[in-house]
Amino acid sequence: MQFQDWLRSLRFTGGDGKSEMDNLKTLLPSLPTSFSLSSLSLSPSSIIGLGALASLTTYWLVTRPRPTQPPCDLQAQSIPVQGDQSCRRSALLTDDNLLEFYYEDTKTVYDMFQRGLQIAGNGPCLGFRNPGEPYQWISYTEVAERAQVLGSGLLAKGCKPNPQQFVGIFAQNRPEWVIAELACYTFSMALVPLYDTLGLEAMVHILNLAEISMVICDKEDKAESLLKHKEKGVTPALSCLVLFNPFSAALLERGRKCGVEILQLSQIMVRNIPKGAMITHGNIASNTSSVIKILEGYFVIHQEDVSISYLPLAHMFERMIQVSMFCHGARVGFYQGDISLLMDDIKTLKPTFFPVVPRLLNRIYDKIVGSVTSPLRRALLHYAVRRKQAELSSGVVRNNSVWDRLIFNKIQASLGGNLRFILTASAPISPTVLSFLRATLGCLIFEGYGQTECTAGCTFSMPGDWSAGHVGAPLPCAMVKLTDIPDMNYYAKNGEGEICIRGHSVFRGYLKDEERTGETLDADGWLHTGDVGQWLPNGTLRIVDRKKHIFKLSQGEYIAPEKIENVYTRCVPVLQVFVHGDSLQSYLIGVVVPDPEVFVDWAKERGIVGSYEELCQNPDVKKAVLEDMTAVGKEAGLKSFEQVKDLYLHPDMFSVSNGLLTPTLKSRRVDLRRVFSEQIARMYRKSSV
């Protein structure tokens, strides 16, 4: 490079149109307009000082953080399809032909793993750990060999090597889960994930719908629950269970009596829901390829990268993360199976890639904010966040600023200290939380939107766009359009309506269920998501709420409960909240689970003392919580009819184990209404007296 070109490369224009050199001049004392070097007589020490200043200035110009260039115009992130403003595609595409594959040799999940195997070979692939111990790793080569052997064992037990052969898996995240999945793909079989929260009826429905004869389990208790179904005669096809863990002789005998063969995994390895969404390898390949395309030239997964696996593998979000890692020869480390130990697993694994759901990010945000008690520290934290957010707005993402070293390094260390990339999905996240964490964690945080029926994702936030309050633009594999919902006053001409998706990532339909397939996929191949969206001026999509969750109050006002719940979770004493309304009632009520980490101290600050359980029953505490929620709701712009008028404080968390949350930590609204039906009725009765 010529010297003049190098000098020009040191200059770039900031957001105000000035070059950095112009901005630098403002930092120096003003000089007379008649100033010239010839008019100055400098002492040797002054010359040395000026030389030092010039050296420091040059060093700063060379080493300053540089903004990365986004892959498209951030004010036009999606493009109307054939002039239809309600239907849009990714601006990264050159025409209306959607992206199907990124790498020509990766058109199936099997191909993607083979690509990673070629890159990594004997490098680490799947990680696991025992309590208090470091992670142990299984290499790509060993994973491929185990999958080959397990697949051969499945064939030996009567499974057929074709896509109509369904093999069930009923287990927590662990390396054997992925090996079993790859074993099925190696021999063209289909894997059907099962999980506890499906419930008895749904579990039986899936086993019979797919005519599953073999299920792979992790523990004896899961095998026992499957044997119960067989003993009742409701799952006649079930004939073989394969367990990861050792099991008792009693289980073996119980299986023999009802005609089910029970095997240890080593014996066979010889040398979301009553709907069964049919996802193809092409669906997965196009979805993964689209994310790679969006991040092209901006973020690349390296062989040294590692992801933490704790989100359910029975859902496509976690599966897509792992496929992306395997395609590049990277590593996946599994948590110990106990969510309460997740932070310890993260500190030990030190992941660079972290898939999350908004509830977890909300908890991280609350812990950070709640740990800062003094006004001075709180002011310093918010000032540091504003400074980092200013850098983000100019395109600079880093974790080595003075604010990172002074304030944020402990926060980053609590998540392992190596994070490069966070992806949040499954539900909208508060713009306040997202902007705050982008500043404090010092890594790329992207937000996506989708569902199982479109193979996890259909929109993704664009690199370089660090604004919040939207879920990005359409992925290159899909078109997204909005359709009218007249009875809710949403019209596509106004840029609002039900979100519909069409493209290579859309599923084929529900297994053996033409009626539900017809309700979800229309004649033109559009997937109707049931979500309500809004196009923003820059071509990104904002999620308003779930169409099926929206209800009407007696006075005719429509309510989007999840939007209200997202606002209320910003209240300091609130950990979880369920907002309920009824078309026969004119107002909302709520069920609140207080945050056990802060609730007692929060009440004490208001002069109320007691245990966590006692405070939940105290009417003065309930009144204070309701006032706090109302104030936060008003600040967030909730209308009067969107505010809850009464609430019940519940001392036990909503969880997957008690059936009140889905495996992706979304509220099970029907079950919540059923469990709290008595409290709901009492609140409405009390107010009507």
Side-chain angles (χ1 to χ4, degrees), residues 452-465:
T452 295
E453 287 81 353
C454 64
T455 324
C458 67
T459 70
F460 199 90
S461 50
M462 197 70 71
D465 181 7

Side-chain angles (χ1 to χ4, degrees), residues 24 39 49 69 75 90 115-116 118 125 130-131 143 232 298 320 360 367 421 460 476 538 627 647 687:
L24 186 63
S39 66
Q69 296 302 312
Q75 301 307 311
S90 171
R115 184 177 187 275
Q118 292 175 8
C125 178
N130 297 316
V143 169
K232 293 177 181 178
Y298 197 89
M320 293 299 298
L360 182 56
K367 289 195 73 108
F421 188 108
F460 199 90
N538 64 350
E627 288 174 352
L647 56 84
S687 60

Side-chain angles (χ1 to χ4, degrees), residues 72-214:
C72 70
D73 180 358
L74 296 182
Q75 301 307 311
Q77 297 181 33
S78 64
I79 294 174
V81 176
Q82 298 178 353
D84 182 356
Q85 292 291 336
S86 69
C87 177
R88 307 180 77 87
R89 63 163 173 84
S90 171
L92 301 183
L93 297 171
T94 56
D95 52 37
D96 288 348
N97 293 313
L98 301 177
L99 180 67
E100 194 168 2
F101 309 113
Y102 189 83
Y103 302 111
E104 281 300 317
D105 60 344
T106 56
K107 298 184 179 181
T108 67
V109 177
Y110 176 81
D111 293 340
M112 290 182 164
F113 184 83
Q114 291 300 310
R115 184 177 187 275
L117 176 61
Q118 292 175 8
I119 294 171
N122 286 317
C125 178
L126 303 178
F128 63 96
R129 71 184 292 232
N130 297 316
E133 296 181 6
Y135 270 83
Q136 303 175 55
W137 293 94
I138 306 172
S139 71
Y140 268 83
T141 301
E142 189 174 353
V143 169
E145 290 174 353
R146 289 192 192 184
Q148 181 77 27
V149 171
L150 176 55
S152 299
L154 294 176
L155 297 184
K157 298 308 297 182
C159 293
K160 306 298 182 185
N162 63 61
Q164 285 70 49
Q165 175 67 63
F166 298 102
V167 177
I169 185 164
F170 191 16
Q172 276 190 313
N173 296 26
R174 55 191 288 174
E176 293 90 343
W177 206 111
V178 175
I179 291 169
E181 180 183 30
L182 289 170
C184 290
Y185 296 160
T186 300
F187 292 95
S188 300
M189 293 179 277
L191 194 75
V192 181
L194 308 169
Y195 45 95
D196 295 341
T197 54
L198 282 173
L200 170 64
E201 185 179 343
M203 182 86 76
V204 170
H205 174 77
I206 289 177
L207 289 169
N208 291 333
L209 181 71
E211 299 176 3
I212 294 173
S213 60
M214 176 177 287

Side-chain angles (χ1 to χ4, degrees), residues 497-645:
E498 182 181 6
I499 300 169
C500 299
I501 309 161
R502 187 172 69 180
H504 300 303
S505 60
V506 172
F507 79 146
R508 289 182 174 180
Y510 297 116
L511 178 66
K512 300 178 183 177
D513 195 339
E514 293 184 5
E515 182 179 349
R516 297 185 77 167
T517 297
E519 293 171 357
T520 306
L521 282 175
D522 65 25
D524 295 322
W526 288 98
L527 166 65
H528 291 251
T529 65
D531 289 327
V532 181
Q534 175 187 37
W535 287 120
L536 300 183
N538 64 350
T540 59
L541 185 69
R542 173 182 291 157
I543 307 300
V544 177
D545 209 302
R546 285 288 291 164
K547 178 182 174 183
K548 69 177 183 180
H549 292 160
I550 291 178
F551 54 84
K552 189 187 291 187
L553 294 176
S554 60
Q555 70 270 39
E557 300 286 1
Y558 280 102
I559 299 295
E562 289 177 334
K563 179 191 78 172
I564 299 169
E565 289 163 356
N566 286 336
V567 170
Y568 284 153
T569 53
R570 298 276 51 79
C571 298
V572 173
V574 175
L575 176 63
Q576 296 170 314
V577 59
F578 167 59
V579 171
H580 174 77
D582 191 306
S583 59
L584 300 177
Q585 305 291 343
S586 61
Y587 61 92
L588 302 174
I589 56 174
V591 177
V592 168
V593 178
D595 189 338
E597 294 185 11
V598 302
F599 190 44
V600 174
D601 290 338
W602 181 86
K604 189 181 295 184
E605 291 173 1
R606 286 151 182 78
I608 308 172
V609 179
S611 68
Y612 178 79
E613 290 75 14
E614 290 170 344
L615 292 172
C616 285
Q617 299 174 19
N618 189 315
D620 292 331
V621 174
K622 185 183 83 168
K623 181 181 178 183
V625 173
L626 184 58
E627 288 174 352
D628 195 50
M629 291 170 59
T630 303
V632 170
K634 187 175 182 180
E635 185 180 346
L638 293 184
K639 299 179 177 67
S640 176
F641 62 81
E642 292 178 306
Q643 298 266 27
V644 297
K645 304 303 187 227

Side-chain angles (χ1 to χ4, degrees), residues 219-475:
K219 301 173 183 177
E220 187 165 329
D221 62 337
K222 289 192 174 73
E224 288 175 342
S225 68
L226 291 169
L227 287 180
K228 282 183 185 177
H229 304 327
K230 179 69 175 182
E231 290 165 343
K232 293 177 181 178
V234 295
T235 54
L238 185 63
S239 62
C240 184
L241 299 179
V242 179
L243 273 75
F244 297 151
N245 292 359
F247 53 85
S248 66
L251 183 74
L252 189 67
E253 177 62 18
R254 185 177 173 183
R256 186 189 64 78
K257 288 181 178 179
C258 63
V260 176
E261 183 179 15
I262 301 179
L263 301 169
Q264 186 82 38
L265 183 65
S266 57
Q267 290 177 270
I268 199 172
M269 294 183 72
V270 291
R271 287 223 183 241
N272 101 90
I273 45 181
K275 299 176 294 183
M278 295 184 289
I279 305 296
T280 68
H281 286 268
N283 291 152
I284 296 173
S286 67
N287 208 273
T288 305
S289 297
S290 293
V291 175
I292 296 172
K293 175 68 176 177
I294 276 190
L295 299 175
E296 187 177 49
Y298 197 89
F299 178 88
V300 177
I301 299 175
H302 300 300
Q303 186 180 339
E304 298 76 23
D305 280 314
V306 57
S307 174
I308 178 80
S309 175
Y310 66 99
L311 296 173
L313 276 162
H315 289 259
M316 287 307 301
F317 180 32
E318 176 66 21
R319 304 269 283 286
M320 293 299 298
I321 296 295
Q322 293 198 11
V323 168
S324 300
M325 300 299 284
F326 296 151
C327 186
H328 295 86
R331 296 177 287 164
V332 175
F334 292 86
Y335 80 134
Q336 296 177 69
D338 185 346
I339 200 69
S340 66
L341 300 175
L342 178 61
M343 295 309 293
D344 182 55
D345 291 335
I346 289 173
K347 288 178 184 177
T348 304
L349 183 64
K350 302 183 185 303
T352 59
F353 200 108
F354 189 24
V356 295
V357 292
R359 282 181 185 267
L360 182 56
L361 291 182
N362 288 342
R363 290 289 288 155
I364 293 172
Y365 170 84
D366 291 339
K367 289 195 73 108
I368 294 171
V369 174
S371 66
V372 183
T373 53
S374 75
L376 178 61
R377 289 185 176 181
R378 190 177 296 117
L380 184 60
L381 172 67
H382 290 306
Y383 180 79
V385 167
R386 288 197 298 272
R387 297 316 306 153
K388 286 293 297 292
Q389 288 174 340
E391 285 194 346
L392 277 170
S393 65
S394 65
V396 175
V397 181
R398 59 171 175 158
N399 60 5
N400 59 356
S401 71
V402 63
W403 304 111
D404 292 297
R405 294 190 180 99
L406 292 177
I407 296 175
F408 303 136
N409 62 334
K410 288 185 179 180
I411 298 171
Q412 295 161 8
S414 70
L415 294 174
N418 290 340
L419 281 179
R420 299 203 302 134
F421 188 108
I422 292 176
L423 175 59
T424 176
S426 92
I429 183 171
S430 158
T432 300
V433 173
L434 185 57
S435 298
F436 180 90
L437 292 179
R438 277 175 170 161
T440 56
L441 298 182
C443 65
L444 301 170
I445 303 182
F446 292 92
E447 185 173 6
Y449 160 75
Q451 53 187 212
T452 295
E453 287 81 353
C454 64
T455 324
C458 67
T459 70
F460 199 90
S461 50
M462 197 70 71
D465 181 7
W466 307 124
S467 60
H470 62 80
V471 292
L475 282 169

